[in-house]
Amino acid sequence: MTNSNNKLSHNFSVRVYFEDTDAGGVVYHTSFLRFAERARTELLRSLGISHQSLEDKEGIIIAVRSCNAEYLKPARLDDMLEITSGNIIPEATGLKLSQTIRRGEEILVSVGVRLVCVNKKGRPVRLPLRIHENVGIFQN
Amino acid sequence: MTNSNNKLSHNFSVRVYFEDTDAGGVVYHTSFLRFAERARTELLRSLGISHQSLEDKEGIIIAVRSCNAEYLKPARLDDMLEITSGNIIPEATGLKLSQTIRRGEEILVSVGVRLVCVNKKGRPVRLPLRIHENVGIFQN
Amino acid sequence: MTNSNNKLSHNFSVRVYFEDTDAGGVVYHTSFLRFAERARTELLRSLGISHQSLEDKEGIIIAVRSCNAEYLKPARLDDMLEITSGNIIPEATGLKLSQTIRRGEEILVSVGVRLVCVNKKGRPVRLPLRIHENVGIFQN
Amino acid sequence: MTNSNNKLSHNFSVRVYFEDTDAGGVVYHTSFLRFAERARTELLRSLGISHQSLEDKEGIIIAVRSCNAEYLKPARLDDMLEITSGNIIPEATGLKLSQTIRRGEEILVSVGVRLVCVNKKGRPVRLPLRIHENVGIFQN
C-alpha cells in the first residue's frame, strides 16, 4: 500500500507472460482487465475477504457491472507491471474504484470499474458490512 | 447485416464454451470483450480487410484505444449470443463504434470502443482510405 | 460429419482471432486445446447433449482427465482451422477420443484426450447411457 | 529452488483467480498449462534469460513441440498452487522437462513438455549454448 497526497492506495505487481500477449507483439487489451481483477481480488484479500469464502459462506458473488478502460501505451512480454487501486466508494449493493496500470513511472492503462454484489440467482444484494466499513481506508 | 430505422448493422453469432465462463457460473466479464473483438474482425472481413494482411502488407495494426462496457445481464454456458455492431464513425487515425451483445431479444452487454491504427512501433497512422470509405455503410 | 475409410468423424471449424495468438506471432499453444474443447462440445451437441443441461438436470460435469498434444505446424491470425474428432471409445466413467486440427490439408496439431464424468463433488460417475450408446457412431 | 533426493528443482507459485476458473466451479484445464508456462519462463529468467531478449537479440522463439498433462485433482478459486519443474534434458534444438502442480502436499496435475527453439520463420534452430549448459543444474 502507498500513501501519497493523503490517498491510500493498494498496489499489486503482475509479470507479462506469453499468454497475455497477442500477434500484434503487445499485451492483448483484455489481459489488462484480467490484471486489474487480480489486483481487486488481492485488495479484498488484504481486508481478509476471499471470493471463494464469500460465495461458500454467504452466497455472494462480486460481479463487474461496468468497466471503462483507456489504453495509453502498450506493454510487452516480460514487462513487470504495477496495478494501483484507489478512490474506492462503497455503494448500497457494490462499490466503485479506479485503477491504473503502470510500468515504472509510465501509466499504460487507466481503468474505472463498478462492482455489484449478486446472489447465486444474479440478484443484487447488499455489500457486506465488513467490506463497506473497511474499503474506506482506500477512499480519499 | 440488418437494417432497422435506417441504420445498417453488422451481426455476428458466438456460442459460449467452458473457456468463456468462470466459477461464478456465468460468462467472465472480459470474455464479452473478446466476443466483441471477434465481431469487429468479421465486420472488417465483410469489407474485404483482414488483420493479418493489414499488418503484412501495410504494417498497420488496429489497436483498442478505449473501451467501455455495461454489463446488464449474465450469459451462461451453451448460450448462443449475437453481437450487433453499428454507429461506426471514422476518425483520422481510427474509428469509433457501438456494439451490443444479445441473447435473443435481451441485451446482455453494451460496449463502446475507439480503435486506433498504429504502425509496428506503436505510432498512430492514418486509417486506410478503403476502410474510411467503406465503414460508412455501418454509419447512421 | 465425414466418413473416410469407414470411420465416421465429427468436423468443426474455428477462425483464429487476436485473442488466440501470442507475441510469437502465432496461435498460443493452449488456444488449440480450447478449440479442441469447442469441437468436443459441438460433437456432444450433435448427439443432443449440452454441458449446461447435463449439469443442471443430472449434476454431471465432463472434465478432462488427461490430454496430450503434438504441435506440428503453427497457425496464424485469420486462419480458418478445422477440428476433426474421431476414434471415440466409451469407458465406464468417461471416454477417450482423438482430434486433429488442420488448415486445409495440413495437420497442425494432433490431440488425444481422456474425459471423465464427475459429480459436483468431483467424484467419478458413470457415463450417461445415451452418450455411451450414441458416441459409437464416431467409433471405428 | 529445492533439492530433494539429489534432484534440483525450480519452484514457482501461482494464485488462482476468476479468469482461471470455469462454470464447473474449478480451474479450467488449459489454465494449468498457462501456469506451467509461467513457471518455465521464470525458470529461464532464473538463468538470466528472457523470452523478449531472446527474440529481439537472437531471433529465437521457444515454442511448445508437445505436451501431455494428467489431471489428478481439481483446483479452485483462491487456491495457492506451486509448480515444480525438473528433469530437464537439453536436446539439439530444444529441451524436455517435467512439471508438477501442487496444492500443499497434493499433486493436482503432472505435465511433460518438449520445447523447441525456432526462428521467426518457424524453422528449428540450435538451443543457445548458455541455456544448454545452464539448465543442467535442474537435471538429475
Side-chain angles (χ1 to χ4, degrees):
Chain A
M1 300 181 197
T2 55
N3 186 331
S4 64
N5 305 324
N6 294 321
K7 295 183 192 181
L8 193 65
S9 298
H10 177 269
N11 295 305
F12 179 67
S13 294
V14 168
R15 176 74 76 173
V16 174
Y17 297 106
F18 265 122
E19 63 184 276
D20 306 312
T21 61
D22 69 24
V26 296
V27 171
Y28 185 63
H29 72 295
T30 72
S31 299
F32 289 109
L33 300 180
R34 296 191 289 108
F35 299 163
E37 202 205 34
R38 294 182 202 174
R40 295 193 299 269
T41 294
E42 294 303 332
L43 184 155
L44 285 179
R45 201 186 318 280
S46 76
L47 301 174
I49 294 156
S50 82
H51 286 302
Q52 191 68 66
S53 72
L54 258 188
E55 185 179 345
D56 288 349
K57 293 180 188 163
E58 304 175 57
I60 294 175
I61 295 165
I62 299 182
V64 175
R65 175 63 185 75
S66 68
C67 176
N68 63 75
E70 295 285 320
Y71 296 94
L72 306 173
K73 292 184 182 179
R76 293 186 79 196
L77 190 61
D78 290 323
D79 280 352
M80 180 63 86
L81 306 179
E82 180 142 300
I83 298 110
T84 302
S85 306
N87 295 325
I88 302 185
I89 300 173
E91 301 182 316
T93 60
L95 53 84
K96 289 195 303 187
L97 79 166
S98 300
Q99 301 183 283
T100 57
I101 304 178
R102 282 187 181 77
R103 181 183 49 216
E105 297 297 304
E106 292 181 298
I107 296 182
L108 306 186
V109 182
S110 114
V111 182
V113 181
R114 172 172 269 160
L115 302 174
V116 63
C117 298
V118 296
N119 63 20
K120 290 186 179 180
K121 292 179 178 173
R123 300 267 162 69
V125 294
R126 296 198 72 76
L127 181 69
L129 191 62
R130 67 188 190 288
I131 298 182
H132 200 295
E133 287 174 343
N134 286 316
V135 295
I137 66 165
F138 299 115
Q139 190 181 354
N140 58 313
Chain B
M1 300 182 198
T2 55
N3 186 332
S4 63
N5 305 325
N6 294 322
K7 296 183 191 180
L8 194 65
S9 298
H10 177 270
N11 295 304
F12 179 66
S13 293
V14 168
R15 177 73 76 171
V16 174
Y17 297 105
F18 265 122
E19 64 184 274
D20 306 312
T21 61
D22 70 23
V26 297
V27 171
Y28 185 63
H29 72 296
T30 71
S31 299
F32 289 109
L33 300 181
R34 295 191 288 110
F35 299 162
E37 201 204 35
R38 293 182 202 173
R40 295 193 300 270
T41 295
E42 295 303 332
L43 185 156
L44 284 178
R45 201 186 317 279
S46 76
L47 301 175
I49 295 156
S50 82
H51 286 302
Q52 191 68 65
S53 72
L54 257 188
E55 186 180 344
D56 288 349
K57 293 179 189 163
E58 303 175 58
I60 294 176
I61 295 165
I62 300 182
V64 176
R65 176 61 186 76
S66 69
C67 175
N68 62 75
E70 295 285 321
Y71 297 95
L72 306 173
K73 292 184 182 179
R76 294 187 78 196
L77 190 61
D78 290 323
D79 280 351
M80 181 62 86
L81 307 179
E82 181 142 301
I83 297 110
T84 302
S85 306
N87 296 325
I88 302 185
I89 300 172
E91 301 182 316
T93 60
L95 53 83
K96 289 195 303 185
L97 80 165
S98 301
Q99 300 182 284
T100 57
I101 304 178
R102 285 187 179 77
R103 182 182 49 215
E105 296 298 303
E106 291 180 298
I107 297 181
L108 306 187
V109 182
S110 115
V111 182
V113 181
R114 172 172 269 159
L115 302 174
V116 64
C117 298
V118 296
N119 62 18
K120 289 185 181 183
K121 292 180 177 172
R123 299 268 162 70
V125 294
R126 296 199 72 77
L127 181 69
L129 191 63
R130 68 189 190 287
I131 298 182
H132 200 296
E133 286 174 341
N134 287 316
V135 295
I137 66 165
F138 299 115
Q139 189 182 354
N140 58 311
Chain C
M1 299 181 199
T2 55
N3 187 332
S4 64
N5 305 325
N6 294 321
K7 295 184 191 181
L8 192 65
S9 298
H10 178 270
N11 294 305
F12 179 66
S13 293
V14 167
R15 176 73 75 173
V16 174
Y17 297 105
F18 266 122
E19 63 184 278
D20 306 312
T21 60
D22 69 24
V26 296
V27 171
Y28 185 62
H29 71 296
T30 71
S31 299
F32 289 109
L33 301 181
R34 297 190 288 109
F35 298 163
E37 200 204 36
R38 293 183 202 173
R40 295 193 299 270
T41 295
E42 294 303 332
L43 185 156
L44 284 178
R45 200 185 319 279
S46 76
L47 301 175
I49 294 156
S50 82
H51 286 302
Q52 191 68 66
S53 73
L54 257 189
E55 185 179 344
D56 288 349
K57 293 180 188 162
E58 305 175 57
I60 294 176
I61 295 164
I62 300 182
V64 176
R65 176 62 185 74
S66 68
C67 176
N68 62 76
E70 295 285 321
Y71 297 95
L72 307 173
K73 292 183 181 178
R76 294 186 80 195
L77 191 61
D78 290 323
D79 280 351
M80 180 62 87
L81 307 179
E82 180 142 300
I83 297 112
T84 302
S85 306
N87 296 325
I88 302 186
I89 300 173
E91 300 182 316
T93 60
L95 54 84
K96 289 194 303 187
L97 80 165
S98 300
Q99 300 183 285
T100 57
I101 303 178
R102 282 187 181 76
R103 181 183 48 216
E105 296 297 304
E106 291 181 297
I107 296 182
L108 306 186
V109 182
S110 115
V111 182
V113 181
R114 171 171 269 159
L115 301 174
V116 63
C117 298
V118 296
N119 62 19
K120 289 184 179 181
K121 292 180 177 173
R123 299 268 164 69
V125 294
R126 296 199 72 77
L127 181 69
L129 192 61
R130 70 189 188 287
I131 298 182
H132 200 295
E133 287 174 342
N134 286 317
V135 293
I137 66 165
F138 299 115
Q139 190 182 353
N140 58 310
Chain D
M1 300 180 196
T2 56
N3 186 331
S4 64
N5 305 324
N6 294 321
K7 296 183 191 180
L8 193 65
S9 299
H10 178 270
N11 295 304
F12 179 67
S13 293
V14 168
R15 176 73 76 172
V16 175
Y17 296 105
F18 265 122
E19 63 184 275
D20 306 311
T21 61
D22 69 23
V26 296
V27 171
Y28 185 62
H29 72 296
T30 71
S31 298
F32 289 109
L33 301 181
R34 295 191 289 109
F35 299 163
E37 200 204 36
R38 293 182 202 173
R40 294 193 301 269
T41 295
E42 294 303 333
L43 185 156
L44 284 178
R45 200 186 317 280
S46 76
L47 301 175
I49 295 157
S50 82
H51 286 302
Q52 192 67 65
S53 72
L54 258 188
E55 186 179 345
D56 288 350
K57 293 180 190 164
E58 305 175 57
I60 294 175
I61 295 165
I62 300 182
V64 176
R65 175 62 185 75
S66 68
C67 175
N68 62 75
E70 295 285 320
Y71 297 94
L72 306 173
K73 293 183 180 180
R76 295 186 78 196
L77 190 61
D78 290 323
D79 280 351
M80 181 62 87
L81 307 179
E82 180 142 301
I83 297 112
T84 302
S85 305
N87 295 324
I88 302 186
I89 299 173
E91 300 182 316
T93 60
L95 53 84
K96 289 194 305 186
L97 80 165
S98 301
Q99 300 182 284
T100 57
I101 303 178
R102 284 187 179 78
R103 181 182 49 216
E105 296 298 303
E106 292 181 298
I107 296 181
L108 305 186
V109 182
S110 115
V111 181
V113 181
R114 171 172 270 159
L115 302 174
V116 63
C117 298
V118 296
N119 62 20
K120 289 184 179 182
K121 292 180 176 172
R123 300 268 163 71
V125 294
R126 296 198 71 78
L127 181 69
L129 191 62
R130 68 189 190 287
I131 298 182
H132 200 296
E133 286 174 342
N134 285 317
V135 294
I137 67 165
F138 299 115
Q139 191 181 353
N140 58 310

